[in-house]
Amino acid sequence: MTTRHDLIVIGAGLVGAACVEAAAAAGLRVAVVESGTIGGGATSAAMGHLVAMDGDAAELALCAYSRSLWERWADRPEAEFHRCGSLWIASSEEERARIPARRAELAAAGVDAEAVDPHGLYALEPSLAAGFHGGLRVPGDAVVYPPRLAWHLIADACRDGAELFAGVRAEQLTDDGVHLADGRALRGPVLVATGAALPELLPELPMRARKGQLVVTDRHAPMVRHQLIEMGYADAAHGSDAASVSFNVQPRPNGQLLIGSSREYDATDAAVSSSLLQRMLRRAFDFVPALRERRAIRAWSGFRPATPDGLPYLGAVPGRRGVWVAAGHEGLGITAAPGSARLVVDAFLGLRPALDLAPYRPDRVLRAAA
Amino acid sequence: MRVRDFEVLVVGAGPAGLAAAHAAASHGAKVGLVDAQLRAGGQVWRHDLRFGAPKRARVQIAGLAAAGIAWLGGCEIALAEDRVLHGEGADGPMSLRWRALVLATGARELLLPFPGWTLPGVTGAGGLQALAKQGWPVAGKRVLVAGSGPLLLAAAATLKRHGACVFGIHEQAGPAALRGFAARLPRWPGKLAQAAALRLKLFDVPYRSGSLVVAAHGEESLREVEIETRTGRRRIACDLLAAGWGLVPNVELARVLGCRLDDSGTHPHIAVDDDLRTSRHGVYAAGEALGIGGLDCARVEGAMAGHFAAGAPQATQALRWRRRQARAFADLLRRQFALRPRARALAAADTLVCRCEDVALSSVQAHADPRQIRLVTRCGMGACQGRVCGAALRELGLPAPSLSATATRPPIFPMRLAALAEACFHEPSQGEV
Ligand SMILES: Cc1cc2nc3c(=O)[nH]c(=O)nc-3n(C[C@H](O)[C@H](O)[C@H](O)COP(=O)(O)OP(=O)(O)OC[C@H]3O[C@@H](n4cnc5c(N)ncnc54)[C@H](O)[C@@H]3O)c2cc1C
Ligand SMILES: Cc1cc2nc3c(=O)[nH]c(=O)nc-3n(C[C@H](O)[C@H](O)[C@H](O)COP(=O)(O)OP(=O)(O)OC[C@H]3O[C@@H](n4cnc5c(N)ncnc54)[C@H](O)[C@@H]3O)c2cc1C
């Protein structure tokens, strides 16, 4: 028995869940296939920082667009949306000198940011170690809890008629749909949103897993107010070092702190690497010494879906009929989920997407390979 | 960072761990005994500020130094790596290397959710017993002890000794089950004497079987306890309710060490062979962590594990029979005090099952996938990491919130970040810098 759907979304991480929401809102008859737990992939490991990341124009445009769409979800209690703002911290005069340019770049993308002098920095965040050179504050950035939202988006869509195929793997794409591991077949156009597992279904699109680790503390009186990030973070994120750490700490609304982060290519073992954990924590103590006395309740790891150029694949997959993709957001998939979903679904519907899709189209890597 | 090396390292200084350390040391092994508590003794021999510890315990604890055993108190083991454990003691982080390891991590109390169980004034039975021993004032308080199992009697006796007015013990098991228990008791003469001694201490405390606490009432704190018997329900006014439902083995350390757990019962326990070997080479286990067995069982198994760990298996011959006896008694206890289905159905839709994250029963029931429960409700994500709510949900027959099958989430217990960062690890894989 086969069923026909207007769109079959494979993968129910936040990206897939947002696609399901967008497609269902457009009136499509949607199926969603999730082999594991909804939101249980990278989405469950994420820090949940909604951040306008500068450094690459296409990436920033997607973040900024998506951040504005996040506002629709801000009031949903399950998102645990908390607009704490980001504070980028300059460790040197050199980093401080880059603030005006970064600010201008953000402004060009419609993102408000303000330069903070050293005095202002300590007024905002008194627990920072001495000796920093100021910072850049992005008040519109926020923090969220992604996996619960993913589940609710799917549950809402199912209430409106979407069909969930849970606990079953999409095994193979066919000419007109997908074969499931339990022998069932679904017919209709397919949107693959399987994150780091993308090559299993679309081997022609290169994807690497970039492992990251986080630590969460127990609840305590607030110690920091903003999501704090070192200015060098973007360099680490955009760099290609085999393993790197950078300082990133997030206040959760309940008084917990999330501490990040590490980046590691080609690690396949999900176990927390103690040496990287150690480097990560020491880096964090350099910025906020009082963190030393807070208690960790757990550490975990996750795999960011990383494309060769760091930009996601959004759009139709060339050389395949009726196959679309939304995957490969690396460390920004939570921020970029609603924007990516809207862009892909608009393109699928033949509407004009709000952003030019060219930088994100998957054919860029196929062209490069040819 | 202090690094110490031991031939035999024992984790847990309850009766099992103390016996293991002494047994191993008797063969000349270099032995370390570590416990999260500042004082040795474990649960049953927890130090009582006013009355000290029983003689048997005092002798063993005082004899540690003379036996050459390094006592490492106040250090909770929170991380495990290959042949080295990490924790933080009073003097800072410690790394303990071992050649043979004995896990004597004991058990904790099972807390079952029922309406009102989170009200101030409601505690665990063993929990309130421990508080009393630590000097928390219970004198003159009107205390009701309820739930199931012999721990209720032990807790009531301690509370009474500390001046509490214990005016009732309510055992959920029915009279028929208790009669069955009493009839078989003479097969263990020692137990019979213990039971008689306890009964004597509690001669003036009414003991009611087939009597189930179904709710605690009060606005800010506990005022009344609602009890259900075959003849109906009634409310009893009191200051404190000590509710104990049984014990759950502590297996977290064994799990991160990769020891096989026996998952066939309601709660997992460490799996061992007849020589108390776990599935991991060089790692032995003893006591409540192998399944609830009681004090005698813990002592015998501890001694056996200590001998094995020190490479002296011949010394265990005489102990094997005693172990079988003690385990048989434990089986009897488990059967006779098994929770009735009614006791598992007390929580209402809005009763909290996860106190760390304030999750109600109905939220958990909305999901069948244990990992989905965790991710959507956050049940089990809090400071206890599922130790309390996980055991309760398993007892209720619901999927316990779990991690993905392969996930390890260090540390096992909350640990200061500085200590976590300091714990000196060796490189687990080559790919790392
Ligand atoms: C440590 C860490 C911190 C991060 N912090 C942030 C942050 O602060 N902000 C931010 O914006 N981003 C962050 N990210 C990145 C973000 O988590 C990811 O980019 C995002 O979650 C990707 O979502 P996804 O839906 O594409 O993938 P996933 O969440 O991995 O979802 C893919 C889903 O597809 C399913 N699937 C795979 N194959 C199949 C198949 N064949 N059939 C059926 N189902 C299948 C999987 O089970 C999975 O549920 C972080 C990532 C990590 C690892
Ligand atoms: C709250 C409570 C009260 C009890 N009261 C009585 C009583 O009054 N009478 C009675 O007969 N029985 C009582 N019991 C039953 C008791 O479990 C056994 O009688 C006996 O104490 C079991 O001995 P054990 O050595 O196996 O474990 P325990 O006595 O439980 O000892 C285990 C020890 O291991 C330590 N430990 C565990 N994990 C770690 C770690 N990761 N790092 C460092 N240390 C660790 C614990 O701190 C503990 O001291 C009680 C049990 C509980 C839970």
Side-chain angles (χ1 to χ4, degrees):
Chain A
M1 238 275 295
T2 57
T3 331
R4 182 143 201 109
H5 291 90
D6 297 334
L7 187 62
I8 303 160
V9 177
I10 305 176
L14 191 63
V15 172
C19 291
V20 169
E21 186 208 36
L28 300 186
R29 198 172 125 67
V30 186
V32 51
V33 184
E34 168 56 57
S35 57
T37 301
I38 294 171
T43 297
S44 69
M47 204 173 200
H49 181 205
L50 305 185
V51 55
M53 182 71 74
D54 57 319
D56 177 284
E59 186 173 81
L60 177 56
L62 179 59
C63 286
Y65 171 58
S66 196
R67 221 183 52 148
S68 68
L69 293 186
W70 255 101
E71 296 297 328
R72 292 177 307 123
W73 291 340
D75 290 333
R76 299 182 68 134
E78 60 267 18
E80 296 182 28
F81 187 101
H82 172 49
R83 198 188 311 278
C84 59
S86 304
L87 185 56
W88 296 84
I89 297 161
S91 301
S92 62
E93 266 317 300
E94 194 190 330
E95 279 182 359
R96 188 183 174 186
R98 280 162 55 193
I99 288 175
R102 291 187 64 171
R103 202 180 148 208
E105 193 188 333
L106 288 169
V111 176
D112 281 339
E114 63 203 40
V116 178
D117 64 15
H119 183 74
L121 184 69
Y122 291 99
L124 288 172
E125 296 291 353
S127 65
L128 278 172
F132 289 106
H133 293 248
L136 178 68
R137 181 163 173 264
V138 187
D141 284 353
V143 302
V144 297
Y145 177 63
R148 178 190 275 161
L149 176 64
W151 187 84
H152 280 270
L153 292 175
I154 298 286
D156 289 355
C158 287
R159 214 166 294 128
D160 294 342
E163 217 178 329
L164 170 64
F165 296 83
V168 55
R169 220 177 83 85
E171 207 156 53
Q172 208 181 0
L173 302 181
T174 60
D175 282 346
D176 181 30
V178 58
H179 269 304
L180 305 188
D182 61 6
R184 282 182 291 184
L186 303 178
R187 289 191 306 131
V190 171
L191 169 52
V192 187
T194 55
L198 191 71
E200 291 171 23
L201 292 174
L202 294 173
E204 68 268 38
L205 296 181
M207 183 82 79
R208 284 164 92 187
R210 207 169 181 194
K211 186 175 167 183
Q213 317 194 134
L214 298 176
V215 180
V216 67
T217 70
D218 59 4
R219 298 178 183 199
H220 207 274
M223 176 184 279
V224 302
R225 289 161 53 197
H226 298 79
Q227 165 112 17
L228 304 180
I229 330 168
E230 62 174 291
M231 294 256 301
Y233 179 90
D235 302 337
H238 294 137
S240 58
D241 286 359
S244 65
V245 298
S246 44
F247 167 69
N248 199 354
V249 65
Q250 171 180 115
R252 301 293 312 172
N254 65 9
Q256 291 183 303
L257 292 173
L258 268 175
I259 303 167
S261 55
S262 65
R263 297 188 126 76
E264 219 182 331
Y265 271 125
D266 302 326
T268 48
D269 182 0
V272 170
S273 145
S274 19
S275 58
L276 266 188
L277 185 65
Q278 214 172 14
R279 279 175 59 192
M280 208 173 95
L281 287 174
R282 288 188 178 152
R283 186 95 190 140
F285 301 158
D286 289 344
F287 282 80
V288 181
L291 280 175
R292 299 176 61 88
E293 301 309 319
R294 293 289 298 265
R295 295 199 313 162
I297 62 172
R298 62 184 193 277
W300 67 87
S301 71
F303 294 97
R304 303 178 186 90
T307 64
D309 61 6
L311 291 175
Y313 301 127
L314 304 176
V317 180
R320 296 195 184 239
R321 216 163 43 117
V323 178
W324 297 69
V325 60
H329 297 79
E330 202 176 327
L332 291 169
I334 303 305
T335 308
S340 301
R342 178 68 68 81
L343 293 175
V344 172
V345 170
D346 280 351
F348 174 79
L349 294 171
L351 304 173
R352 193 188 158 86
L355 299 180
D356 174 12
L357 268 192
Y360 319 106
R361 276 205 192 96
D363 55 7
R364 70 188 189 272
V365 293
L366 301 177
R367 262 189 278 113
Chain B
M1 167 65 61
R2 282 195 303 155
V3 183
R4 310 270 309 254
D5 282 278
F6 297 103
E7 277 159 351
V8 177
L9 177 64
V10 181
V11 183
L18 282 165
H22 278 290
S26 73
H27 302 288
K30 186 180 172 200
V31 179
L33 176 62
V34 60
D35 199 295
Q37 308 278 340
L38 277 173
R39 293 204 186 229
Q43 296 293 1
V44 55
W45 291 341
R46 179 183 291 275
H47 185 75
D48 191 316
L49 277 183
R50 215 159 116 208
F51 303 105
K55 180 143 180 287
R56 277 194 300 195
R58 280 204 310 272
V59 170
Q60 291 199 42
I61 295 168
L64 288 173
I69 297 164
W71 164 239
L72 309 158
C75 175
E76 190 160 53
I77 300 300
L79 295 170
E81 289 189 291
D82 192 31
R83 307 235 152 208
V84 56
L85 303 182
H86 306 280
E88 185 168 36
D91 315 326
M94 278 201 277
S95 293
L96 308 174
R97 294 181 208 277
W98 50 270
R99 248 183 276 166
L101 181 65
V102 178
L103 301 177
T105 47
R108 60 180 177 272
E109 198 166 18
L110 170 67
L111 301 175
L112 270 195
F114 55 88
W117 74 292
T118 55
L119 274 177
V122 182
T123 65
L128 190 60
Q129 179 194 36
L131 285 173
K133 287 184 176 180
Q134 285 158 15
W136 198 73
V138 293
K141 293 269 166 58
R142 294 169 306 157
V143 183
L144 202 80
V145 178
S148 193
L151 179 57
L152 300 187
L153 296 173
T158 305
L159 293 168
K160 223 188 124 193
R161 198 177 183 197
H162 283 264
C165 163
V166 182
F167 62 95
I169 300 173
H170 295 263
E171 165 64 56
Q172 59 88 39
L178 294 191
R179 271 197 303 276
F181 177 64
R184 291 179 185 82
L185 202 52
R187 283 177 34 207
W188 292 272
K191 295 291 174 192
L192 194 58
Q194 272 173 31
L198 259 180
R199 221 33 229 136
L200 204 61
K201 282 186 203 161
L202 296 167
F203 71 95
D204 57 347
V205 179
Y207 183 87
R208 311 240 184 262
S209 59
S211 184
L212 180 66
V213 50
V214 291
H217 302 282
E219 279 83 58
E220 306 282 279
S221 63
L222 177 70
R223 281 166 164 251
E224 286 180 330
V225 173
E226 193 168 342
I227 297 286
E228 185 181 280
T229 62
R230 266 204 333 214
T231 55
R233 288 190 176 196
R234 69 197 162 101
R235 291 188 175 204
I236 305 172
C238 62
D239 302 318
L240 296 170
L241 167 63
W245 303 95
L247 303 174
V248 185
N250 289 322
V251 298
E252 290 72 21
L253 181 55
R255 179 180 278 139
V256 297
L257 283 163
C259 302
R260 195 172 72 76
L261 302 181
D262 181 330
D263 239 329
S264 58
T266 309
H267 306 286
H269 61 84
I270 306 177
V272 289
D273 63 12
D274 284 345
D275 293 351
L276 301 186
R277 284 183 296 214
T278 70
S279 65
R280 227 193 110 178
H281 185 69
V283 181
Y284 301 81
E288 305 282 64
L290 303 185
I292 304 313
L295 172 59
D296 296 340
C297 190
R299 298 181 64 201
V300 175
E301 286 177 351
M304 286 175 69
H307 292 308
F308 283 125
Q314 65 290 349
T316 64
Q317 281 312 327
L319 298 171
R320 289 175 185 264
W321 180 82
R322 280 177 56 200
R323 173 174 189 236
R324 275 198 298 276
Q325 281 289 98
R327 280 287 162 194
F329 180 71
D331 281 344
L332 175 66
L333 275 183
R334 202 182 52 241
R335 282 198 307 273
Q336 305 300 329
F337 289 96
L339 288 187
R340 289 188 282 139
R342 177 77 186 105
R344 297 199 171 92
L346 297 177
D350 62 347
T351 304
L352 292 188
V353 291
C354 171
R355 299 179 76 158
C356 301
E357 298 289 334
D358 294 343
V359 183
L361 178 65
S362 57
S363 317
V364 168
Q365 284 171 324
H367 309 277
D369 167 2
R371 194 153 176 255
Q372 197 78 65
I373 295 181
R374 191 178 155 98
L375 289 179
V376 175
T377 70
R378 284 184 179 273
C379 183
M381 272 196 191
C384 92
Q385 286 291 286
R387 272 186 284 273
V388 177
C389 54
L393 289 173
R394 270 191 293 273
E395 201 64 50
L396 300 188
L398 291 168
S402 74
L403 306 170
S404 55
T406 53
T408 54
R409 304 266 158 103
I412 357 178
F413 295 104
M415 191 181 200
R416 223 162 43 91
L417 286 170
L420 188 58
E422 234 180 274
C424 57
F425 308 77
H426 31 93
E427 296 296 297
S429 71
Q430 304 162 328
E432 291 169 6
V433 182

